[in-house]
Each structure stands twice: as C-alpha cells, then as structure tokens.
Amino acid sequence: MLFKQNISPIGLLLGTLFFALSLTPSLLPRTNVIQGLISGLALTSGYGLGVLIRWNWSFFELPIPTKKTQKILIYITGGICLIITTVFLWQATGWQNSLRGMMGMEKTAAMRPIVIFLITVGLFLILLMLGRVFRCIFHRLSEWLQRYVPRRISNAIGLVATFIIFGLAANGVLFTLILEGADATYKQWDRQIQPDLGQPSDSLKAGSEASLLDWDKMGRQGREFLSQSPDTTDLKRFTDQPVRQPIRVYAGMLEGSLEERAELALQELKRVNAFERSVMILATPTGSGWVDVAAIDPVEYLYRGDIATVSAQYSYLPSALSLLLEGEYGSEMARILFQKVYRYWSELPEDERPKLYLQGLSLGALNSDKSFDLFDIIDDPFHGALWSGPPFRSETWQRVTEERRPDSPIWLPQFRDGSVVRFANSNGGLSKGNAGWGGFRIAYLQYASDPIVFFDPHSWLREPEWMQRPRGPSVNEQMEWYPVVTTLQLVADMLLSTEAPKGYGHEYASSDYLQSWLELTEPKNWSNEELDRLRSFFDERGARK
C-alpha cells in the first residue's frame, strides 16, 4: 500500500517551485548540506500543499481529467519541473556568491548541484514515506472505528490518535536519544581540562590557589574566559595613563547550586577588591557558559584595566538546547547573581562604588534582561546595559521595537526621545537621540543581517517588516519574500548565524563593541589618536577570524 501510491503531479509542481525558491539568497550564505536540507523541506512542503489541494478537489467532487489527459499533464509537469530545477540550480552559485562578496568573503564557494539535489531528494523521500505511514495508520484506525461509530467521528478520532502515536514516538524515542547523546557529549566537553591553560599563579586572580573558586570546577568556558584577559603590558600599548590588571570572576556549574554559585562569585569579588574598581560588568553567558571576550576586551581597554567582570554558568549545552531543555534556569541564575551583587553594591557609598553595567549576547542578553525588576532598582538604579544580538523573543526588545518612532526603521529603531534606550549597528547609533543620555541607559547592538534577532515566526504567511525598503546594511537587495520558503531560509540562516564573518549575522565585532561601550559609558582621558589606534587594533583582530 505504501509503495503503490502515485506521485501527485500538482504536488510535484508546487514542490519543485518551493525547491527552486529555496535556492534564492536570504540573509547569510549557506553550505551545500544546509541548502540541501532546507530545499528538501521546501520540496516536501510544496508537495504536501499540492496533495491537500488535490484532496479538496476530490472532496468537493469537482471534475477530474480523463486518464489520457492526466497522462499528458504528467509529462508536461515533468518537463516544467526539469526546466525550473535546472535554471535555479544553475543560478544558485551566483546568488550565494553575491552574499559572500557583500560580506567580504572570497567568491569561491561552488554550490554543487548534484550534492544539493541528492540531499533534497533523499530527505523528500524519507518525509514522503513518513507521510504515507501516517496516512496508512490513520486509515486503518478509522476503518476499525467505523464498526462502532459513524464515519466522520471515526475519522476525527483516528486522526487525533495517529497524531498522538507519532508524537509519542518522536518525543519518547528519537527526541530522547538525541538529547541524551547531546547532554553526555557537552558535559564531557565542558569538564575537559585544557593542557595549554594553566592555573593562575597570581593570588588576586580567580581560580588561583588562594581563590574561593576552584579552577577545575570552572568548566571549559570559564577557564578560557579567565585566561584570555589582557594584561597590563597589552593595555600599555594604547595609553600613557596608569593601567591595572582587569579582574575577571567566573563561577562554574560544579561549584554547587545557583545560590551557592552566586554567593561564591560575590565573595570572590570582595576578596579581590573588585568593588574598588571604576566599573563592574555583570556578564550573562550564552547557554554553553561562553562569555564573548569580543564584548569584554574593548571595555577593559577603555578603562585601562580599572574594571571587574563577573559571570556564572547555568548550562553547558548550546543556547538552542539550553533554551529548549532548561527554560527559565538561565534567567534564574542571572537573577540570583544580579540580586547578590546589586544588594551589596547598593549598600556602598555612591562615591565609593563602581559604575555597574549588565552585558549579554544572544541568550545571555535575553536572560540578562530578565535578571532584574525595574521596580526593585528604581530608587537606586545601576548604570545601564549593553545587550547584543537579542533573540527575537526578547520581550523588552519586542516592546521597544514595536513602540519605536514611526520615522525610524525596524533594524535601527529610535525609542521615544532616546534618553533611556538606544540602538546601534556596525555604523554606530548610540550617539543619536533627541534628548541626552539619562543616568540609566539601555543599549542594543544588532546587525540587520542577524537572523537570531530578526527571525519572524509569521514569515510563512506574511513579509517581515525588515524586508521592506529601505533595508538595513548587509541585507541583500536580491532577497525576496516567499510564503513558507522564507521561513525555512531564515531557519537555515539561524543555524549558520555564527559562521558568518565578524560584523555580520550573529558574529559581533570587537570594533562595534568598542564604539558601543565608548558611547554608552563615556570613559575619560582618551585622545582621538589613541582611540583610532585602539579601533585599528580591534579591526585587525576581527579580520583574523
């Protein structure tokens, strides 16, 4: 029964059209494998839509062509599909190279039509078979139920029961195996001790023998974050002013519960006299525990090392899995750490405590945003936050973007008079506002080509607002909106968002962080010449990625 069913001509035609459109450019360049997977999903979606149209045609008992006419239509459909497939596969390399050229990448990526075609067809056949298994189970259940209940009721019950069977199979078997494998893999990876990263010998550094935080319990990301800190020699290259060794504190998951991690981080800050520095950063990591040094290094240079940064790990899984499996766990860790640090900080005399800022990238930005309640800090607010690449589901970001001034684009909004919230991209933007910065400042750094920020769940049905002209920097003018297909393309873009060169997608450049911190925190005693040298340094470092 599974193998005797014919391919639907209208399904094949719509599927081929969806496949062809999936080859057109989107936000970021794609690999052959990712392109094949997305094209396979597009082909299946179009085919499914065609089958649905054919089913409705029969349901309403509309005229059906004769077998001879159907045979002619199949040949015509096959010819049209072949032409469409050939033309679009031929243009795929040019489309992808147009993206690569715009992002400063070499135009050498060759989209291999055979590879893409084989992956597409293979995935389509697998999904087609699953669809036919679904239909087979549905028909069997429905026919059995018709012995006891009317046909329409048996169809409804059979459909629901089939969905439940497939849901349980996917959730209870496939999903569990994938997650258990990922959990075991990332847990071991996080606990590996890198031989090239030695334990700090300076007693005033976190992770040293004198530290309250165990070097071996920090996890891979924590040890890397602490080891990558610039030293006083690095800082002296760009200033004649006195410099200090920046303080970095990181509490790994193995240190205990959320409360214990936060308390240890606070006590370590006290031990190394971090509250005597000019600036303190509460950096919320991504799902894997990674703190973006590209975001922290620039502000450490701007304050000549007179700064302390603290972070606490809440997961070792990638952000997507962490968000899926651990839900509010990340925001809870950020909230507890903020409360402990803020409570101690707010008890200090105003003229003897550091400026306090929050920082987060991606999932870190989302959880950092959730770490405080405005009503709790309104009497004694901290100084501000720099959130880069905020995920599209971030509630504060959504609200501010929706309520932006009508004359500002969605990819670089202007919120009210700009005294509290401002946006920046690779061209800056934090210096723009109808009113001066207030004492409490929220800054968003986002690229128009970042799919993590601008993914639109409704893009399957309507064109996202950011695709309207004029478009943001680095958004390809050849990109067009297509129902369903654009959503699949944006999913692919999210998967590849961290593979883009610095300054595009979800890869935020140190030079853009430098400008954002400069405009947000307004450090003193920097000449234009010194700042230009610093910008060149971070530009060159980003180009080496």
Side-chain angles (χ1 to χ4, degrees):
M1 181 176 180
L2 292 176
F3 298 97
K4 293 181 179 179
Q5 301 173 40
N6 295 323
I7 293 290
S8 166
I10 187 172
L12 187 59
L13 183 60
L14 286 177
T16 301
L17 180 61
F18 276 33
F19 160 77
L21 296 177
S22 73
L23 296 169
T24 60
S26 54
L27 288 175
L28 300 172
R30 305 179 207 120
T31 64
N32 293 308
V33 173
I34 292 296
Q35 181 63 72
L37 293 175
I38 295 304
S39 295
L41 292 173
L43 174 58
T44 305
S45 300
Y47 184 84
L49 179 61
V51 170
L52 181 62
I53 292 173
R54 177 66 178 82
W55 182 86
N56 277 283
W57 189 280
S58 300
F59 180 81
F60 289 105
E61 299 182 350
L62 296 174
I64 297 176
T66 63
K67 289 186 177 181
K68 182 178 180 180
T69 303
Q70 288 183 39
K71 192 173 182 179
I72 295 173
L73 289 175
I74 289 174
Y75 284 119
I76 294 174
T77 300
I80 293 173
C81 291
L82 181 61
I83 294 172
I84 291 175
T85 299
T86 303
V87 170
F88 277 76
L89 278 173
W90 180 264
Q91 296 186 77
T93 297
W95 283 325
Q96 293 303 306
N97 274 333
S98 70
L99 275 171
R100 294 174 67 87
M102 184 176 64
M103 296 181 180
M105 303 169 69
E106 292 185 11
K107 298 183 180 181
T108 56
M111 300 299 288
R112 295 179 174 82
I114 296 178
V115 174
I116 295 173
F117 181 77
L118 290 177
I119 294 175
T120 299
V121 173
L123 180 58
F124 169 70
L125 292 176
I126 291 172
L127 295 176
L128 178 64
M129 188 57 60
L130 287 175
R132 290 184 170 180
V133 169
F134 181 95
R135 187 165 66 175
C136 180
I137 294 174
F138 162 67
H139 282 309
R140 293 288 177 88
L141 287 174
S142 179
E143 289 172 1
W144 180 78
L145 287 169
Q146 284 179 26
R147 305 174 186 175
Y148 311 101
V149 294
R151 180 174 61 85
R152 291 185 178 179
I153 296 177
S154 71
N155 286 340
I157 296 175
L159 185 62
V160 172
T162 306
F163 271 115
I164 292 174
I165 291 171
F166 266 67
L168 290 174
N171 206 23
V173 180
L174 182 61
F175 196 58
T176 301
L177 288 174
I178 292 174
L179 294 182
E180 285 180 352
D183 182 77
T185 300
Y186 285 107
K187 180 186 291 185
Q188 177 156 2
W189 182 85
D190 181 66
R191 295 183 180 181
Q192 284 180 350
I193 303 293
Q194 306 97 307
D196 57 327
L197 299 181
Q199 183 178 13
S201 57
D202 186 344
S203 62
L204 291 180
K205 287 191 174 184
S208 65
E209 291 291 345
S211 175
L212 301 174
L213 296 166
D214 192 322
W215 178 253
D216 293 338
K217 292 182 179 180
M218 283 185 179
R220 186 185 189 95
Q221 302 288 14
R223 289 187 291 270
E224 288 185 353
F225 174 62
L226 297 186
S227 299
Q228 293 171 353
S229 174
D231 57 27
T232 54
T233 303
D234 297 323
L235 302 176
K236 286 179 180 177
R237 294 171 52 200
F238 301 95
T239 180
D240 295 328
Q241 302 286 331
V243 298
R244 305 180 70 178
Q245 176 64 46
I247 293 173
R248 292 186 179 185
V249 171
Y250 189 98
M253 287 185 66
L254 296 178
E255 292 287 2
S257 65
L258 300 179
E259 188 78 23
E260 290 170 334
R261 274 173 255 166
E263 182 62 29
L264 277 172
L266 174 62
Q267 295 306 320
E268 181 70 2
L269 288 172
K270 293 181 185 179
R271 187 189 74 84
V272 297
N273 300 319
F275 289 94
E276 297 178 7
R277 297 298 175 102
S278 297
V279 174
M280 179 173 289
I281 308 290
L282 268 67
T284 303
T286 62
S288 64
W290 179 64
V291 179
D292 187 7
V293 293
I296 303 301
D297 280 358
V299 70
E300 290 178 330
Y301 277 85
L302 286 173
Y303 281 88
R304 302 177 178 88
D306 190 18
I307 182 173
T309 303
V310 59
S311 187
Q313 186 181 18
Y314 55 88
S315 172
Y316 45 75
L317 296 173
S319 292
L321 289 178
S322 177
L323 186 62
L324 181 64
L325 297 178
E326 294 162 323
E328 298 300 316
Y329 194 66
S331 58
E332 185 69 6
M333 178 75 260
R335 183 185 64 80
I336 294 174
L337 179 61
F338 172 82
Q339 287 180 343
K340 287 190 176 291
V341 173
Y342 174 79
R343 188 178 297 118
Y344 182 81
W345 174 85
S346 62
E347 292 172 353
L348 298 173
E350 286 191 33
D351 58 348
E352 296 180 12
R353 67 191 186 187
K355 291 182 178 181
L356 183 60
Y357 293 93
L358 309 188
Q359 183 275 330
L361 163 68
S362 193
L363 186 57
L366 175 67
N367 289 327
S368 179
D369 184 15
K370 294 180 178 180
S371 67
F372 67 96
D373 188 320
L374 188 61
F375 294 105
D376 292 337
I377 59 118
I378 197 167
D379 287 337
D380 190 13
F382 57 93
H383 292 77
L386 175 56
W387 292 323
S388 51
F392 64 93
R393 52 169 292 197
S394 302
E395 293 180 4
T396 303
W397 176 86
Q398 286 180 347
R399 179 187 170 191
V400 171
T401 301
E402 288 171 0
E403 296 180 8
R404 70 188 185 278
R405 288 169 49 187
D407 59 342
S408 63
I410 190 172
W411 42 268
L412 193 63
Q414 294 181 20
F415 182 69
R416 298 179 182 173
D417 63 0
S419 61
V420 178
V421 180
R422 294 186 185 181
F423 288 78
N425 57 21
S426 54
N427 297 322
L430 296 185
S431 60
K432 299 177 183 177
N434 291 345
W437 272 108
F440 179 71
R441 306 174 176 184
I442 300 296
Y444 286 102
L445 175 60
Q446 59 188 38
Y447 296 149
S449 59
D450 188 348
I452 302 297
V453 178
F454 291 107
F455 178 79
D456 186 348
H458 304 291
S459 59
W460 69 277
L461 188 60
R462 69 183 185 209
E463 182 183 35
E465 191 173 353
W466 53 265
M467 288 187 67
Q468 298 173 9
R469 272 101 175 156
R471 292 179 172 177
S474 72
V475 176
N476 196 317
E477 287 296 326
Q478 296 184 62
M479 182 180 181
E480 299 293 343
W481 174 76
Y482 307 106
V484 181
V485 175
T486 296
T487 303
L488 295 174
Q489 290 178 321
L490 292 178
V491 170
D493 289 337
M494 287 197 290
L495 294 174
L496 297 169
S497 60
T498 57
E499 300 299 321
K502 285 290 186 181
Y504 299 92
H506 206 51
E507 282 292 309
Y508 288 84
S510 293
S511 54
D512 293 329
Y513 277 120
L514 176 70
Q515 188 63 31
S516 296
W517 283 120
L518 185 65
E519 296 175 352
L520 176 67
T521 67
E522 298 178 342
K524 302 182 185 303
N525 301 320
W526 280 93
S527 67
N528 290 332
E529 181 184 354
E530 289 174 330
L531 287 174
D532 287 341
R533 287 171 54 214
L534 201 54
R535 290 189 184 98
S536 297
F537 167 70
F538 283 115
D539 279 337
E540 291 173 6
R541 195 170 76 169
R544 290 195 298 267
K545 176 186 179 285

